[in-house]
Amino acid sequence: MRTQLDLRLAVSRWVPLTLLMVLPHSFVAEPAEGDPGGSALLQRVKRGWVWNQFFVLEEYTGLEPLYIGKLHSDMDKGDGSIRYILTGEGAGTTFTIDDSTGDIHAIQRLDREVKSQYVLRAQARNRLTDMPLEPESEFIVKIQDINDNEPKFLDGPYQATVPEMSKVGTPVIQLTATDADDPTYGNSARVVYSILEGQPYFSVDAKTGMVRVSLADMDRETRENYTVVIQAKDMGGQLGGLAGTTTINITLSDVNDNAPVFDQRLYQMSVLESAPMGSVVGRIWAKDRDVGVNAEMKYRIIDGDGRDTFDISTDPTNRFGIIMVKKLLDFEKKPSYTLKVEGVNTHPDLTFQNPGPFKDVTIVHVSVEDVDEPPLFDSAAYYMELPEDAEIGTVVRTVTARDPDAANNTVRYSIEKTSDPDKFFYIELTSGSLMTVRSLDREEISWHNITVLAMEMNNPSQISSVSVAVKVLDVNDNPPSLTHYLETYVCENAKAGQLVETVTAVDPDEPPAGQHFHYSLAPEAANNPNFTLRDNQDNTAWILTRRSSWSQKDQTVFYLPIFISDDEQPVQTSTSTLTVRVCSCDHEGNAMSCNAEAYSLPASLSRGALIAILACIFVLLVMILLMLSLRSHWKKPYLCDEEENIHENIVRYDDEGGGEEDTEAFDIAAMWNPREVHHRGKTRQDMLPEIESLSRYVPQACVVGGRGDGNVHGYVLAKLLEADGDPCAPPYDSLQTYAYEGDGSIAESLSSLQSGNSNADHEYDYLNDWGPRFKKLAEMYGVVETSSPPVW
């Protein structure tokens, strides 16, 4: 009995029934063992599934699960003993199977664009023993496409650029719409393109989607931007097809199709005559309707009387022409200029030269404005030479400056003070004659760099300056002199004709031919028996000995006058004295001792003992001077009163600070007996000479009227009056403090020396009763001021 598996397909209400049968693999018999011919009888070895493909439409929207097909085994008797199992892609989630009947349903909505087919595996098992009755078999469920997706432009909206003035048919942009439907099934994915917006300027190819220019000579300067809407429709564009649209923003790019044109045919400009080179006069503009590099300009002056005076360049944007000063201007020489300027495109397009050349020409008129200029010297700098022996008042040079303006104002000259601080020169105010006012000395200052100022008489703010360099020429006005220290020595063992010293001379002068000195002994030493001089004729001379046997006992020092002269005119001479000491030397000629003490001192007295004796003498002298100084301070002053006066010191400070060490006792006796201090021939010991002018003798008439015990007051008052009227008196006062006011004073003692005996506070209101002479004292002690004027 032959067993077979029937595989029935469920038929959708929209699709006609299709039944595909395939023989199972078990129908093929295998040859029996030992049968060489392979012609053994066919026999059933193993059952197998009959598999096929299931087809189902996508996007099912019914309420019931979609029936796909049925699995059936020939071993199924319909008693429910066989259990059908479904595994694979979507089994249990997308697809379910009735394990008793084998019916397969889709429980989810299927979308071919998400997944176009599912691979499943089916198996039949015994429900009781769970043993497989058939080998597992694989089959495919394919999803059939419907037109459920419209075409889409994935990269839209689009930006495109096309040159202006392009020809008809010039490609602009290639568009491609994508349809997710199956392109192999029907016309669902066959797209046709059309233009909805943008005619008549642009068109689109229905099959390829290429957008092209459809209107010639589109001008960017008229309209630059265009919006084009393109539609893509499937089903070949037939009715019922789905459509999608996109937008293209098309910009016309610029080409150099416009010539430049100046915005003015005549430009009027002005510039000050004082404008420096490189200063801007103005700018011009040749307008070009193009943009970018197509509007870049290049300017040049092609004609006019100002071609050499002005220059033109292009600004950084390459749009404007900037006119600049090339040479210094002078209103008095030329008050105006005319320029013919050309503007040319730097990137012309030969395709668009039919309207004419890409350039234009304009006229620029430049007026030079007059300004008040400072005086102008006839030379940028002056150089002159002057010998150093030139007489005072010698005119060095006359500098000349003039007012360059038409007014031609008068010019006045002066020397800048900082350039001639020592005032060697003077310049005449009106003529500009520069002359010397001091003697010149090349050896002191060899160059004088003077700055001469020229100022307009009517406008002092207009000042100009010029440098005047004066070189002081050398004159032979300095005598030569010996170079080195004028002292040398000769050894006691020196022989006759032995070299003592090589002398050289210097001269601050600088003759053009160089220095040449002549040496000789002075006339009074020409027959010197001890030394002789040899002129080497190379600006040096040798001092040689004339005899031997030198001894410090006979003579320790020799003075040798040397006469030196130079070769320049006038010849300058000098005499320098060379001191030669006699010294005891070692065998190499090095001096060991040049003193004569070793020969004059007793043999028993050494040099150290002599130094000790001199030190003792110096100490004794210092002690004697100190005692004399102390004795002058211990001398007791003369007092008129019987009881001992208590007095304070007058302290004079030579400088700030110092403490109590820099005090000098003031001799109060001079104040108690003022007549004694004015005896002729007697000098104050306690005052410096510059103070003594205040202590000149005051006639007795100055103190007449005072009481006998008030002579001190009269003396002080007289000296005060004298000092006030003396214009030579020093600008400071002398303060003198006394312990007592004197006999009969109503103020009694004002000294603070006895104030420590009482702890009570003092009352000083009574000072107001003493009169105006004590007003200052009353103010010092806190008493209320009065309206009376001060005495001192």
Side-chain angles (χ1 to χ4, degrees), residues 636-648 668 672 739-743 753:
K636 187 175 182 179
Y638 173 75
L639 297 176
C640 295
D641 293 350
E642 294 180 357
E643 61 176 304
E644 182 178 358
N645 276 309
I646 303 175
H647 63 277
E648 297 178 356
I668 197 63
W672 285 105
Y740 295 95
E741 287 295 323
D743 297 337
L753 298 179

Side-chain angles (χ1 to χ4, degrees), residues 95-310:
F95 303 99
T96 61
I97 188 172
D98 188 334
D99 61 353
S100 298
T101 63
D103 293 333
I104 302 174
H105 293 81
I107 58 177
Q108 287 188 358
R109 184 177 178 178
L110 301 177
D111 190 352
R112 189 201 67 84
E113 287 72 39
V114 176
K115 190 171 181 63
S116 60
Q117 67 179 18
Y118 295 86
V119 179
L120 298 172
R121 293 181 296 277
Q123 188 177 18
R125 288 179 176 270
N126 188 297
R127 189 179 295 277
L128 296 179
T129 62
D130 199 30
M131 295 296 294
L133 301 177
E134 297 289 344
E136 187 179 64
S137 180
E138 183 178 270
F139 63 94
I140 297 174
V141 176
K142 287 191 174 183
I143 310 302
Q144 286 185 321
D145 182 54
I146 63 174
N147 189 19
D148 59 344
N149 291 278
E150 73 277 4
K152 294 182 179 180
F153 295 92
L154 301 180
D155 298 329
Y158 298 88
Q159 301 290 335
T161 302
V162 63
E164 63 173 331
M165 311 301 290
S166 296
K167 296 179 180 180
V168 175
T170 302
V172 179
I173 188 173
Q174 172 69 58
L175 299 182
T176 301
T178 302
D179 195 325
D181 293 326
D182 188 359
T184 63
Y185 181 77
N187 294 327
S188 298
R190 190 163 69 88
V191 178
V192 174
Y193 299 94
S194 62
I195 184 168
L196 302 181
E197 182 181 339
Q199 295 118 340
Y201 308 104
F202 300 94
S203 62
V204 63
D205 189 286
K207 294 183 179 180
T208 62
M210 174 63 74
V211 179
R212 301 178 183 273
V213 175
S214 60
L215 182 64
D217 298 331
M218 288 190 293
D219 191 0
R220 184 201 65 84
E221 288 73 33
T222 303
R223 181 178 177 183
E224 184 176 3
N225 298 309
Y226 296 84
T227 300
V228 178
V229 178
I230 302 297
Q231 181 189 69
K233 190 174 183 181
D234 59 11
M235 299 297 293
Q238 298 177 4
L239 185 64
L242 302 178
T245 61
T246 188
T247 301
I248 310 172
N249 295 315
I250 301 177
T251 302
L252 298 183
S253 61
D254 186 63
V255 296
N256 195 1
D257 58 339
N258 293 279
V261 177
F262 281 100
D263 57 349
Q264 294 179 222
R265 307 316 301 175
L266 175 64
Y267 289 86
Q268 295 285 348
M269 299 181 182
S270 62
V271 61
L272 296 176
E273 65 171 331
S274 60
M277 290 187 296
S279 57
V280 176
V281 179
R283 69 176 189 173
I284 60 176
W285 183 21
K287 294 183 179 179
D288 193 328
R289 297 178 63 194
D290 299 320
V291 295
V293 297
N294 297 320
E296 292 181 359
M297 303 297 299
K298 180 174 64 177
Y299 299 90
R300 64 190 183 98
I301 301 174
I302 59 176
D303 200 2
D305 56 2
R307 297 179 62 181
D308 298 332
T309 307
F310 298 93

Side-chain angles (χ1 to χ4, degrees), residues 535-716:
D535 192 341
N536 297 324
Q537 301 299 320
D538 59 355
N539 289 340
T540 65
W542 287 353
I543 305 299
L544 304 173
T545 58
R546 276 192 171 184
R547 63 182 180 87
S548 303
S549 301
W550 303 86
S551 176
Q552 293 183 0
K553 293 180 180 180
D554 299 336
Q555 187 174 350
T556 59
V557 179
F558 294 90
Y559 299 99
L560 190 62
I562 300 176
F563 181 80
I564 310 172
S565 64
D566 55 21
D567 255 358
E568 297 299 315
Q569 295 297 327
V571 176
Q572 299 289 336
T573 62
S574 68
T575 301
S576 300
T577 302
L578 180 65
T579 302
V580 183
R581 297 185 179 276
V582 179
C583 300
S584 59
C585 304
D586 56 13
H587 64 281
E588 295 181 356
N590 298 320
M592 298 176 60
S593 174
C594 297
N595 298 323
E597 291 80 358
Y599 299 96
S600 59
L601 294 176
S604 60
L605 189 60
S606 64
R607 182 176 300 176
L610 179 60
I611 294 175
I613 292 173
L614 293 176
C616 292
I617 294 174
F618 176 79
V619 172
L620 289 175
L621 291 175
V622 172
M623 292 179 65
I624 292 171
L625 293 175
L626 182 60
M627 292 176 65
L628 292 176
S629 176
L630 292 176
R631 183 177 180 184
S632 64
H633 286 287
W634 289 339
K635 184 176 182 181
K636 187 175 182 179
Y638 173 75
L639 297 176
C640 295
D641 293 350
E642 294 180 357
E643 61 176 304
E644 182 178 358
N645 276 309
I646 303 175
H647 63 277
E648 297 178 356
N649 291 335
I650 287 182
V651 181
R652 178 171 58 84
Y653 295 93
D654 292 334
D655 50 16
E656 294 292 334
E660 297 181 357
E661 294 297 327
D662 54 352
T663 62
E664 295 180 4
F666 189 86
D667 192 357
I668 197 63
M671 299 300 295
W672 285 105
N673 192 5
R675 298 177 183 272
E676 294 296 328
V677 77
H678 300 295
H679 295 312
R680 295 189 178 275
K682 186 175 181 180
T683 305
R684 293 281 299 273
Q685 300 296 327
D686 58 341
M687 300 183 67
L688 295 177
E690 63 270 15
I691 308 300
E692 291 180 358
S693 62
L694 296 177
S695 301
R696 290 173 294 187
Y697 175 70
V698 179
Q700 186 63 24
C702 296
V703 296
V704 174
R707 294 179 300 176
D709 55 358
N711 55 359
V712 174
H713 171 265
Y715 174 77
V716 173

